[in-house]
Amino acid sequence: MSFGSAVYIHDFNCFTALGEDAEANWASILAGNGGIKAHNIGFLSEVYASKIDFSTIAVDEASEETRLEYILSQVMAPILNNHKPSRRTALVLSSTKGNISYLESGKKKEAELYRLAKKLSVKAGIVTEPILVSHACVSGVLAISVAKRLIQMDQYDEAIVLAGDELSAFVLSGFQAFQAVSPFPCKPFDADRAGVSLGEAGACLFLSRDSSMFKILGEGAINDANHISGPSRTGEGLFRSVQAALEEANVEADAIEFIAAHGTATAYNDEMESIAFNRLGLSTVPLNSLKGYFGHTLGASGLLETVITLKSMQEGVLIPTLGFEKLGTSQPLNVVERITKKTVRRVLKTASGFGGSNAAILIEKTW
Amino acid sequence: MVEETYIEKVCIVRANSIVVDTVPRFSSDDSLFAEFSKQAFRQINPEYPKFFKMDSLSKLAVLAAEYLLEGQPIDDLALVLANRSGSLDTDVRHQESIQNEQEYYPSPATFVYTLANICAGEISIRHGLQTENAFFIAEDYPINTARSYTEYLLKSGKAKRVLCGWVEFFEEKYDAVLYIVSPKGTNKHSAENIKKLFE
């Protein structure tokens, strides 16, 4: 069942280790580049991660912006240029940890996430209260759903959806404690995958009721209710999230022509996704994970991967899964292995994360 | 389609006491949250050892939900939660474990709680809620957003009922206001009525 008016995605942008905007990222991906390199982070040396190089960026010394604030301001700027915020424009920010690095110097207040949202909304000239979605690794996809839902409820006319997380010793140390960090650049869905590579990024897109090239057909965000740090063995929450999206769109699973998967390259996650997609009858649908290019960028990942996927739909080019060589899940998947010219009309983007969270969104290219 | 929606039941946990609707259900003189929450949870559910392994924010959320959901149908019950500090209370603990190279002992059991939505996951696990989940962070309870978002879930058919509210915990200061919104009841699910829950 669908509810409320249709919501469309207009402009989009991203800022990652591969480039400062969507065009630069796209060109770099087509050139076969990956952003994951060996870095020293905190007390940890030679860790594979995707880090934005600030040495070539002229940061205003007088500015009190943190790295993350700089990334988010930059990624949002062209969107704001095209869409001057009105009194009914929402800012929906997705972040898991925000300015968490403030804790290294004992600045607890400064680390509070809502302060980051307030700073960015003031900077953007948005007068409505910012909305901050902090829902583990599904935050980026869920933020699109939240914006869509609130537009459909007529709380807003339009929304800037913004997502960002930075690479931090805080998160890296935790993933290492879980023994979930890959000793080489991550290999999503591969037989030799050995965990995540972390990364940092900002991503942004603009939603409104005005029609555009991309229409949101349906979405869902359903919990596994199984385990806080591991996905359901049956992929139940992901399965149900996709079903909710299909139901709202009023289409069958065979309408899906491409899947932009989560694909973190941990043993459990990728296996769970293969099970969920097979239960949905999607084993032959072309699928990719972009984690091999950007690493896992946490609260940014879902939005970043949506942005690259929109670009992919626009250009009629499917992007391969960097790092993938040989399928390593118990269920079959059609992992895209090389740059493929193909027009896809309906695309599914999914994410799953800690806390048993899952999110799915179905997007249609309208022309 | 769902037309009218109501605040059906409310549970407030603050200042070492638990009140369901207007009925006091538990109170304790113990000033530490760990001890208060342990006693309060044991009183209503003596058989859920997982509770004692949770961080404080999850304990607060699961404790309030336990009293709120007592005797309630849980079919297609979604979760919409919010707070101010996210998981900062546990973030500080994790940071302490990695602050010095000589005393470097990050623990997966702590790290997993450094995400705000884990407390929603804990409620989902405890009650088997394979349903819509969202966690928002704001300086104060985002009444309009929580209300609109909840109405969306009910009116779109994505949930039959919604457990909403505020679960805030930072350095022993805590406050939980959880409530169920459903198509049944007498107290209208209006911004004014939500505001009254926080007075």
Side-chain angles (χ1 to χ4, degrees), chain A residues 28 152 188 225 236:
Chain A
S28 193
Q152 290 182 314
E236 191 63 28

Side-chain angles (χ1 to χ4, degrees), chain A residues 1 43 97 104 108 118 132 134-136 148-149 152 155 170 173 219 221 223-224 240 248 354, chain B residues 87 91 94 98-99 104 114 117 130-133 135-137 139 144-145 148-149 152 156 158 171:
Chain A
M1 183 170 69
F43 304 128
K97 297 315 307 166
E104 287 170 12
K108 297 176 194 170
K118 287 211 164 176
L132 206 162
S134 194
H135 209 99
K148 165 193 167 277
R149 291 170 177 191
Q152 290 182 314
Q155 184 171 331
F170 184 98
S173 62
E219 36 77 25
N223 199 283
D224 285 330
R240 288 186 188 214
E248 180 182 350
F354 276 3
Chain B
S87 58
D91 294 352
H94 177 65
I98 62 164
Q99 188 72 21
Y104 187 84
T114 63
N117 64 302
Q130 289 178 329
T131 54
E132 282 279 342
N133 257 217
F135 201 100
F136 297 98
I137 292 181
E139 188 172 12
N144 292 326
T145 295
S148 292
Y149 194 80
Y152 171 85
S156 65
K158 286 184 178 171
E171 293 182 339

Side-chain angles (χ1 to χ4, degrees), chain A residues 149-186:
Chain A
R149 291 170 177 191
L150 295 176
I151 290 171
Q152 290 182 314
M153 287 302 296
D154 205 26
Q155 184 171 331
Y156 304 104
D157 291 335
E158 52 188 36
I160 289 166
V161 185
L162 182 64
D165 262 311
E166 70 169 333
L167 186 62
S168 63
F170 184 98
V171 174
L172 179 63
S173 62
F175 273 89
Q176 282 211 331
F178 263 108
Q179 301 191 313
V181 178
S182 176
F184 39 78
C186 70

Side-chain angles (χ1 to χ4, degrees), chain A residues 102-312:
Chain A
Y102 272 130
L103 288 189
E104 287 170 12
S105 45
K107 292 179 176 164
K108 297 176 194 170
K109 285 251 170 292
E110 287 83 348
E112 289 173 334
L113 267 163
Y114 81 87
R115 291 177 195 270
L116 171 66
K118 287 211 164 176
K119 263 196 212 172
L120 291 164
S121 86
V122 168
K123 178 141 192 176
I126 289 170
V127 294
T128 56
E129 275 293 308
I131 294 165
L132 206 162
V133 178
S134 194
H135 209 99
C137 303
V138 313
S139 303
V141 177
L142 184 57
I144 304 173
S145 292
V146 166
K148 165 193 167 277
R149 291 170 177 191
L150 295 176
I151 290 171
Q152 290 182 314
M153 287 302 296
D154 205 26
Q155 184 171 331
Y156 304 104
D157 291 335
E158 52 188 36
I160 289 166
V161 185
L162 182 64
D165 262 311
E166 70 169 333
L167 186 62
S168 63
F170 184 98
V171 174
L172 179 63
S173 62
F175 273 89
Q176 282 211 331
F178 263 108
Q179 301 191 313
V181 178
S182 176
F184 39 78
C186 70
K187 296 171 75 65
F189 299 110
D190 191 84
D192 296 324
R193 69 186 183 277
V196 300
S197 299
L198 293 174
E200 62 186 358
C204 188
L205 49 80
F206 184 80
L207 295 188
S208 86
R209 292 190 200 94
D210 298 336
S211 84
S212 77
M213 186 186 252
F214 302 109
K215 182 181 179 184
I216 300 175
L217 292 183
E219 36 77 25
I222 292 176
N223 199 283
D224 285 330
N226 177 65
H227 196 278
I228 51 167
S229 60
S232 151
R233 299 251 165 174
T234 58
E236 191 63 28
L238 179 57
F239 175 79
R240 288 186 188 214
S241 298
V242 176
Q243 273 195 327
L246 291 169
E247 210 168 294
E248 180 182 350
N250 198 21
V251 296
E252 300 294 323
D254 61 10
I256 298 170
E257 295 170 28
F258 178 73
I259 304 169
H262 189 51
T264 59
T266 66
Y268 286 122
N269 174 80
D270 294 6
E271 173 64 12
M272 178 281 285
E273 287 187 64
S274 82
I275 292 168
F277 293 139
N278 272 265
R279 286 179 64 192
L280 289 154
L282 298 172
S283 63
T284 60
V285 178
L287 160 152
N288 76 5
S289 157
L290 296 171
K291 299 289 191 293
Y293 297 94
F294 307 116
H296 191 348
T297 58
L298 311 170
S301 64
L303 201 69
L304 168 62
E305 289 152 13
T306 300
V307 164
I308 299 298
T309 302
L310 293 174
K311 187 71 186 154
S312 189

Side-chain angles (χ1 to χ4, degrees), chain B residues 52-67:
Chain B
F52 306 102
K53 292 181 184 167
M54 296 175 195
D55 78 337
S56 299
L57 176 62
S58 286
K59 277 181 180 159
L60 178 63
V62 170
L63 175 64
E66 197 75 18
Y67 278 84

Side-chain angles (χ1 to χ4, degrees), chain B residues 3-127:
Chain B
E3 295 291 341
E4 292 294 336
T5 58
Y6 301 91
I7 300 171
E8 199 184 333
K9 190 177 178 185
V10 184
C11 176
I12 295 174
V13 182
R14 66 168 65 117
N16 299 328
S17 71
I18 300 175
V19 177
V20 178
D21 290 330
T22 52
V23 183
R25 290 292 310 275
F26 183 87
S27 71
S28 140
D29 295 333
D30 234 301
S31 58
L32 277 180
F33 178 76
E35 195 51 38
F36 158 73
S37 60
K38 190 200 289 183
Q39 292 169 11
F41 192 82
R42 275 195 181 142
Q43 174 177 288
I44 190 164
N45 185 347
E47 288 163 13
Y48 195 66
K50 267 187 194 170
F51 179 83
F52 306 102
K53 292 181 184 167
M54 296 175 195
D55 78 337
S56 299
L57 176 62
S58 286
K59 277 181 180 159
L60 178 63
V62 170
L63 175 64
E66 197 75 18
Y67 278 84
L68 182 68
L69 293 178
E70 190 183 30
Q72 288 286 313
I74 50 148
D75 179 36
D76 226 348
L77 175 73
L79 292 183
V80 178
L81 300 180
N83 78 3
R84 180 182 307 159
S85 300
S87 58
L88 198 58
D89 189 71
T90 299
D91 294 352
V92 170
R93 278 167 216 266
H94 177 65
Q95 183 62 40
E96 283 166 1
S97 75
I98 62 164
Q99 188 72 21
N100 298 307
E101 200 165 6
Q102 289 74 32
E103 302 165 82
Y104 187 84
Y105 53 90
S107 141
T110 304
F111 179 67
V112 70
Y113 287 102
T114 63
L115 290 162
N117 64 302
I118 298 297
C119 66
E122 290 284 17
I123 295 176
S124 297
I125 293 168
R126 163 65 191 94
H127 299 280

